[in-house]
Amino acid sequence: MPRALSPRRLPRARPAPRRLPRHRAHGGPLRPVRVSDLVLALLFVALLGGLALLAAFALAAGTTAP
């Protein structure tokens, strides 16, 4: 009884997309950094710096938190 499909692989119409190489120690693929991630990180660092300056000023002035 003949096979319905050929045992050879048929050529694809489009090449398969290339996958990013794995470089992380835990095996997860590397993703490109988005601009929104960088902006959020910068805002977070600025907020922490502001809180640190406020705490330093409060300690230097001898008052408690407002």
Side-chain angles (χ1 to χ4, degrees), residues 2-31:
R3 292 182 151 207
L5 297 175
S6 171
R8 280 190 266 162
R9 298 184 76 185
L10 297 175
R12 294 182 182 204
R14 287 184 267 161
R18 295 182 59 179
R19 297 186 181 218
L20 294 174
R22 300 172 94 172
H23 290 292
R24 293 178 54 187
H26 298 290
L30 291 175
R31 292 181 302 191

